[in-house]
Amino acid sequence: MAVQPDRRGGEREGGFYQELRGDLLRHAEYQFRLAHTSDKKKVSERDLLTRQLDRADPAARHKIERRLEGPVFPSVLGYLWNWFHELSDARASGGMGPCCITYQDIAAWSRLSGHKPSPWDVAVLRDLDRLWMSIIPNPEATSNPPTTDDGEIDSVELRGRLERAFDLFG
């Protein structure tokens, strides 16, 4: 069984913590997808469900509430969910959209907030951020870099976009 660090930086058996990590990531993915809006929709799935909730009869209301909740949230990792949102709320944005949360961001946040994440906590925060970055930034928006089918930045298409942009300015 793999050994994982616990909140205090010590080591714990990995199975239990890996299961909690998986539960948190499943919950996060569901919540991120509910929050996602596309250029076409202009409204998130969560907003649509919330509007339906206001008009629903009791039976339908219960189903909508369950859809809004999604997968089980591992409350013991609630501190990581809160930490991720603190970090995400302060995330930088560049010319290509939101930036990922870096180790430097986590270190600065830790110094300023007084939180002391363990290496395992940092790994989970980075997992949450990678998941967020794969869902929330709109892949169809022109501010996102073009990618190839394997997810790599398409440098040929990006170069073409830059050349067209520079052509606009003479």
Side-chain angles (χ1 to χ4, degrees):
M1 187 180 298
V3 177
Q4 296 293 329
D6 71 4
R7 279 184 67 183
R8 296 171 303 280
E11 293 184 351
R12 300 271 187 198
E13 294 298 317
F16 175 72
Y17 290 98
Q18 287 304 101
E19 187 175 325
L20 287 174
R21 180 186 208 164
D23 290 345
L24 179 60
L25 293 174
R26 278 186 290 282
H27 177 81
E29 179 177 12
Y30 189 85
Q31 294 303 320
F32 296 159
R33 290 192 187 285
L34 275 181
H36 178 68
T37 59
S38 69
D39 284 342
K40 294 173 187 157
K41 287 195 318 187
K42 302 272 192 225
V43 65
S44 71
E45 182 74 15
R46 177 177 287 117
D47 291 339
L48 292 173
L49 287 171
T50 302
R51 289 177 191 165
Q52 291 173 7
L53 190 62
D54 294 337
R55 301 185 303 266
D57 62 68
R61 186 175 189 80
H62 179 70
K63 287 180 184 177
I64 294 169
E65 287 170 346
R66 291 193 58 191
R67 282 188 63 198
L68 285 167
E69 288 173 15
V72 174
F73 177 73
S75 59
V76 71
L77 296 182
Y79 72 98
L80 282 173
W81 186 242
N82 292 335
W83 288 0
F84 170 74
H85 284 289
E86 286 178 28
L87 284 159
S88 189
D89 287 346
R91 95 173 45 242
S93 182
M96 301 298 250
C99 298
C100 64
I101 297 170
T102 66
Y103 289 111
Q104 292 85 355
D105 295 332
I106 294 170
W109 163 83
S110 177
R111 281 190 306 276
L112 291 169
S113 68
H115 296 302
K116 306 236 181 289
S118 72
W120 188 82
D121 292 335
V122 171
V124 175
L125 289 168
R126 300 269 297 153
D127 287 343
L128 286 167
D129 187 52
R130 278 188 292 278
L131 186 59
W132 188 89
M133 290 293 292
S134 73
I135 296 170
I136 296 300
N138 185 350
E140 296 161 17
T142 56
S143 63
N144 291 323
T147 56
T148 61
D149 291 337
D150 60 1
E152 298 296 319
I153 292 178
D154 185 340
S155 59
V156 173
E157 173 62 21
L158 184 57
R159 189 174 302 113
R161 285 186 187 180
L162 289 171
E163 287 172 1
R164 287 189 296 276
F166 284 117
D167 287 345
L168 292 174
F169 296 105

